[in-house]
Amino acid sequence: MGMFGTLIGSGLTGFFALRSERANQQALEHQEERQSRRREGLQELDLRLEHHRWRREHRKAIYEEFAVKSQTARIAALDYHRCCLTGAPEAAQREEIRLRGRLAYREALQTSYAVELQGPEEVAARVGDCIASLRDLLTCAEEHEARAVSGPLNSADVMDMNQQITACFEDAQRVLRLFTRAGREALDRPTPPG
């Protein structure tokens, strides 16, 4: 019976050792699986952070491009207005200045579409205000050209036209500042949660 007990004892010991080894193996597999999921989660978070940084830089470049195009359009419209006041330049010169103003406006308008696509909504709304203001400024300069071509301007006419263009120019500057502020706030928002 002693030998039989020894065999049963060693069988039980082997059984428990095998069972313990299997439990240890499963625990190791679970630990490796958790570590793998944690690594995948960190990689995904890194990718999201990188995408957010890329998108922020992309938006920033588009916002800056619009601000530059908007400023160029404002100056071109002001030049167009001034051209009308300085004793009716030749038609070819007037046409060149008019086209420069319209082209600058069109470039700002085209860039505004990229801003609207990038968003967010409050920035898109501000860019719409900028375009409307630039359009008003260009329209004011066009009206001044028509007024100047229709007949000689007296000093009261010139003063009135200067006040109109100044008001439009200042409005364009004001809405550009609002756009810039909205863009800065959008760019300064923290990274979205993972």
Side-chain angles (χ1 to χ4, degrees):
M1 184 90 162
M3 184 175 231
F4 188 65
T6 303
L7 282 176
I8 290 177
S10 78
L12 283 174
T13 302
F15 172 75
F16 287 126
L18 182 61
R19 192 168 178 205
S20 176
E21 186 178 320
R22 212 177 286 151
N24 286 341
Q25 183 64 30
Q26 285 179 339
L28 273 172
E29 287 172 2
H30 287 306
Q31 182 179 359
E32 286 176 10
E33 190 177 315
R34 281 191 304 272
Q35 287 175 340
S36 176
R37 280 195 305 255
R38 193 171 330 130
R39 277 192 303 272
E40 287 172 4
L42 290 174
Q43 287 173 342
E44 185 180 328
L45 180 60
D46 284 346
L47 286 173
R48 271 191 260 159
L49 288 172
E50 187 58 36
H51 176 72
H52 179 74
R53 277 190 288 272
W54 172 85
R55 185 154 188 211
R56 183 187 184 283
E57 289 306 310
H58 186 67
R59 276 182 171 175
K60 181 181 175 194
I62 289 171
Y63 294 173
E64 287 173 350
E65 182 181 4
F66 175 76
V68 167
K69 300 278 186 188
S70 178
Q71 180 67 3
T72 301
R74 285 177 45 237
I75 298 301
L78 193 58
D79 289 345
Y80 180 23
H81 158 78
R82 288 182 183 143
C83 161
C84 299
L85 300 183
T86 56
E90 292 181 18
Q93 183 185 7
R94 221 177 32 248
E95 182 65 20
E96 179 186 327
I97 294 170
R98 178 188 315 117
L99 289 175
R100 193 178 324 133
R102 288 178 178 169
L103 179 62
Y105 169 78
R106 189 174 306 125
E107 288 176 356
L109 178 64
Q110 288 171 342
T111 307
S112 76
Y113 299 145
V115 172
E116 288 177 354
L117 284 172
Q118 287 299 312
E121 192 59 40
E122 62 273 14
V123 176
R126 296 295 74 79
V127 83
D129 295 343
C130 286
I131 290 299
S133 184
L134 287 174
R135 181 69 236 162
D136 291 345
L137 181 63
L138 185 58
T139 299
C140 184
E142 289 170 343
E143 289 170 357
H144 292 174
E145 178 189 22
R147 195 168 163 186
V149 170
S150 70
L153 300 173
N154 60 39
S155 60
D157 292 333
V158 171
M159 186 183 303
D160 180 48
M161 292 164 72
N162 278 330
Q163 287 173 348
Q164 289 173 2
I165 201 77
T166 298
C168 289
F169 190 84
E170 288 174 354
D171 184 60
Q173 180 63 33
R174 180 186 62 78
V175 294
L176 181 61
R177 278 194 302 270
L178 293 174
F179 164 78
T180 302
R181 184 178 309 136
R184 189 173 47 245
E185 288 171 2
L187 292 172
D188 286 345
R189 281 195 194 113
T191 304

